[in-house]
Structure formats: C-alpha cells, structure tokens
C-alpha cells in the first residue's frame, strides 16, 4: 500500500498522521494519512513506532477520531 505524503509538516493538533518519513536532503516528507481512531499516528506508523520504540510517543496532542 502506498501511503499519501506531504512536504509540509502537518498540524500536530489535527487528524493527519505526521510521521516523518524523510529527513531533509533535499526536503522532509511526512505521512499525510488520517490518524487511526484512538491513536497518535495512522495504523501503519503506530505499529512501526511501537515495534521500534516499544511505546508510542505522541506526535502532537490529538488522537484520531
């Protein structure tokens, strides 16, 4: 599945995932998928963060609705 992305950093209080996929050189890229219900990221990135860190650190203040 190809995820939607954006070069503009999404509003942390919004309903866009915002997981940073690419870091600079020549630009940053963020996930533009909708946050999963009750999660701080979309389903795919909530799983990635949990596997890498063992805990999901929130991006912003809003959880998905």
């Amino acid at each position: 599945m190809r995820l939607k992305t954006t070069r503009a950093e999404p509003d942390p209080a919004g309903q866009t995932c915002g997981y940073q996929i690419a870091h600079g050189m020549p630009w940053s890229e963020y996930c533009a998928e909708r946050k999963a219900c009750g999660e701080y990221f979309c389903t795919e990135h909530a799983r990635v963060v949990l596997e890498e860190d063992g805990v999901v650190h929130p991006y912003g203040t809003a959880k998905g609705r």
Side-chain angles (χ1 to χ4, degrees):
M1 179 173 101
R2 176 93 171 116
L3 297 173
K4 295 183 286 185
T5 61
T6 181
R7 291 185 187 170
E9 185 173 3
D11 178 6
Q15 289 297 302
T16 302
C17 174
Y19 183 84
Q20 191 168 5
I21 298 167
H23 300 269
M25 307 304 263
W27 59 76
S28 294
E29 198 166 352
Y30 303 88
C31 177
E33 295 290 331
R34 186 166 176 78
K35 289 179 181 178
C37 187
E39 298 288 342
Y40 291 106
F41 298 101
C42 67
T43 304
E44 176 72 18
H45 290 119
R47 184 179 49 79
V48 168
V49 171
L50 187 60
E51 287 175 358
E52 289 178 356
D53 300 339
V55 64
V56 177
H57 299 285
Y59 167 74
T61 56
K63 287 186 175 183
R65 293 181 258 175

